[in-house]
Amino acid sequence: MSDTKHHPNRLGLWGWLGGGRWGMERYLYALHRVTGLGLLAYFLLHIVVTSSRAFGADRWKTAMDAVTGPLFKFGEYLVFVAFAFHAANGIRLALLELGFAVGEPIEPVYPYRTSVHVQRPLAIGALALAAVLVAIGTASMWLVD
Amino acid sequence: MSEMSKVTYRIRRYDPNRDTAPHYETYTIDYTPGLTVLEGLWLIKETLAPDLVWRASCRMGVCGSCGMLINGMARLACNTQISDLGTDQLVLAPLPNFNIIRDLVPDLMPMLSTHQDLHPYVVRDDVAEQEEPTGEYYQSIHDLEQYLQFSYCIKCGCCMAACPTVATDPTYAGPMPLGQVQRYNTDTRDGGFEVRKEAIAGERGPWRCHYAGECSRVCPKGVDPAKAIQLLKRQMVLDVFGLRAKKCPSKLVGKPKDAKRRNGIPEAPKPTV
Ligand code: SF4
Ligand code: SF4
Ligand code: FES
């Protein structure tokens, strides 16, 4: 086999989304990673902007002026939506990764009922919690002055 | 699908001696009720494409050789009825996340050698007893049920092909080897938790898994590696806080001393291994 050239076939990022008819947990997985990266980017930007205060009131005002306007407000709203999802799904993941809500080992009898089925109510609950947080955030950011 | 008379296979083909990249070829065969995807491949090989290559052996979901991507889903070809796919158009490709050796044959060696690295066997100090058993290790039915599900793994690699972490992270050990870590850690006859903890430390370990659950969804044996991995993480957290139950390794139950053989019952044959 050593003289055979193998063709690489790792899915890469496509593996987060595509490859078949997948269940909702795969999309929660991908969204959790994307929102996590988004929040990290926002966090770094936030540090850069607020650190301008250390260089005097003028620099602070310039920095604040640069991040106002409807586009930035919408950006902040997206950050909040990402936060709501990441937090709610994060609670679900913390519970799962501590071995809760996946069920006990069982004798597998066809058609198999796996831990994916057992944790599904938790996944739906996490999405509902995220939706409630987003609704509250939407109301306070856009509707209530 | 009851009136289906033909079935079309679009197969991703690659011959390292001829091709620079994989490409698809299409074959149409007669459909007969009960035809599995694997039997269809044999028909194609016998009548249309003698150079088509795949891997299979038991043709009954036991050996784990015939894992492939069938209409986008990692499954066993022998275990998949064409009628269950709900279409007469099949698209076949080798299991993703493994290099392609040829046509539908993936290189499973990286998975198997990681598996080997993680001590997938009962680890104990009493080596002499294991070489020349004088009795049996104690294990209750309840103890057995804690790992039996995970021991059904046939190392087909379908879970590795479905896992999004494996798709982007070549250092991650993946659901098959990690599922087997939990299988042996949970076995009350085993005392290998510490050596396996070393073996799965860092990037390759279970903390790379964020419960996409796909491994469990595709597993053709109901092994539920996603469950095994989360239970493994729980054990590791409990271990950090010194709360992990240490009931392993279980004691040897010697042969009963005064028992007499009943008349007519022959001696067991000598062990062969
Ligand atoms: S866990 Fe299931 S899918 Fe993965 S290798 Fe074992 S039998 Fe195959
Ligand atoms: S549950 Fe973990 S191991 Fe299984 S597919 Fe998801 S990320 Fe991979
Ligand atoms: S041929 Fe053995 S599992 Fe399919």
Side-chain angles (χ1 to χ4, degrees), chain A residues 55-102:
Chain A
F55 303 101
D58 286 350
R59 286 284 287 277
W60 170 248
K61 189 170 178 317
T62 319
M64 287 324 285
D65 287 347
V67 292
T68 43
L71 204 62
F72 274 95
K73 188 169 178 190
F74 186 68
E76 274 183 341
Y77 177 66
L78 287 187
V79 169
F80 178 76
V81 173
F83 156 77
F85 172 78
H86 201 82
N89 195 49
I91 295 171
R92 163 182 164 260
L93 285 181
L95 288 171
L96 288 177
E97 297 195 22
L98 290 173
F100 296 106
V102 288

Side-chain angles (χ1 to χ4, degrees), chain B residues 91-248:
Chain B
V91 182
L92 264 51
L95 282 183
N97 300 336
F98 297 103
N99 287 346
I100 306 170
I101 295 178
R102 184 172 159 177
D103 292 342
L104 298 170
V105 181
D107 177 13
L108 299 180
M109 270 324 282
M111 170 183 83
L112 297 173
S113 54
T114 307
H115 175 235
Q116 212 170 4
D117 281 354
L118 305 187
H119 310 276
Y121 39 80
V122 168
V123 176
R124 295 178 66 103
D125 291 338
D126 52 358
V127 178
E129 172 62 30
Q130 289 190 69
E131 294 298 326
E132 297 286 337
T134 60
E136 294 175 3
Y137 297 128
Y138 175 77
Q139 186 160 78
S140 70
I141 296 285
H142 176 74
D143 295 337
L144 172 71
E145 283 167 352
Q146 302 312 303
Y147 71 83
L148 185 63
Q149 175 174 26
F150 311 135
S151 72
Y152 287 127
C153 173
I154 56 172
K155 285 80 189 173
C156 63
C158 288
C159 52
M160 305 283 285
C163 173
T165 305
V166 175
T168 45
D169 188 351
T171 56
Y172 176 51
M176 188 293 266
L178 290 174
Q180 294 312 294
V181 167
Q182 177 65 3
R183 178 255 173 270
Y184 283 97
N185 279 355
T186 322
D187 192 325
T188 46
R189 298 166 297 179
D190 175 84
F193 183 90
E194 293 298 332
V195 285
R196 286 188 207 101
K197 191 169 81 178
E198 288 296 314
I200 57 172
E203 299 283 293
R204 69 169 19 173
W207 301 102
R208 291 265 138 178
C209 160
H210 303 300
Y211 203 86
E214 298 296 14
C215 50
S216 298
R217 202 187 317 272
V218 298
C219 177
K221 304 301 282 186
V223 169
D224 206 343
K227 182 199 285 175
I229 295 172
Q230 313 323 308
L231 295 177
L232 171 64
K233 289 185 210 173
R234 169 190 280 190
Q235 289 306 314
M236 293 180 73
V237 172
L238 291 175
D239 187 62
V240 168
F241 293 106
L243 298 171
R244 186 174 64 84
K246 295 199 177 73
K247 52 180 178 175
C248 315

Side-chain angles (χ1 to χ4, degrees), chain A:
Chain A
M1 204 51 69
S2 54
D3 56 350
T4 313
K5 65 179 162 59
H6 294 180
H7 196 273
N9 196 24
R10 199 174 286 278
L11 285 175
L13 275 181
W14 178 238
W16 288 14
L17 296 173
R21 300 177 208 89
W22 302 117
M24 68 186 273
E25 287 73 17
R26 171 180 292 245
Y27 300 105
L28 296 184
Y29 167 100
L31 212 53
H32 197 80
R33 290 194 144 185
V34 171
T35 52
L37 289 173
L39 288 171
L40 182 66
Y42 172 79
F43 177 68
L44 294 176
L45 196 70
H46 179 69
I47 299 278
V48 170
V49 171
T50 49
S51 64
S52 66
R53 187 64 188 85
F55 303 101
D58 286 350
R59 286 284 287 277
W60 170 248
K61 189 170 178 317
T62 319
M64 287 324 285
D65 287 347
V67 292
T68 43
L71 204 62
F72 274 95
K73 188 169 178 190
F74 186 68
E76 274 183 341
Y77 177 66
L78 287 187
V79 169
F80 178 76
V81 173
F83 156 77
F85 172 78
H86 201 82
N89 195 49
I91 295 171
R92 163 182 164 260
L93 285 181
L95 288 171
L96 288 177
E97 297 195 22
L98 290 173
F100 296 106
V102 288
E104 294 290 313
I106 48 163
E107 173 76 14
V109 178
Y110 197 80
Y112 305 127
R113 204 181 124 77
T114 68
S115 57
V116 180
H117 301 96
V118 179
Q119 64 78 53
R120 184 58 63 76
L122 187 64
I124 293 170
L127 282 179
L129 177 62
V132 170
L133 289 175
V134 168
I136 295 170
T138 308
S140 77
M141 265 183 99
W142 301 101
L143 306 179
V144 184
D145 211 278

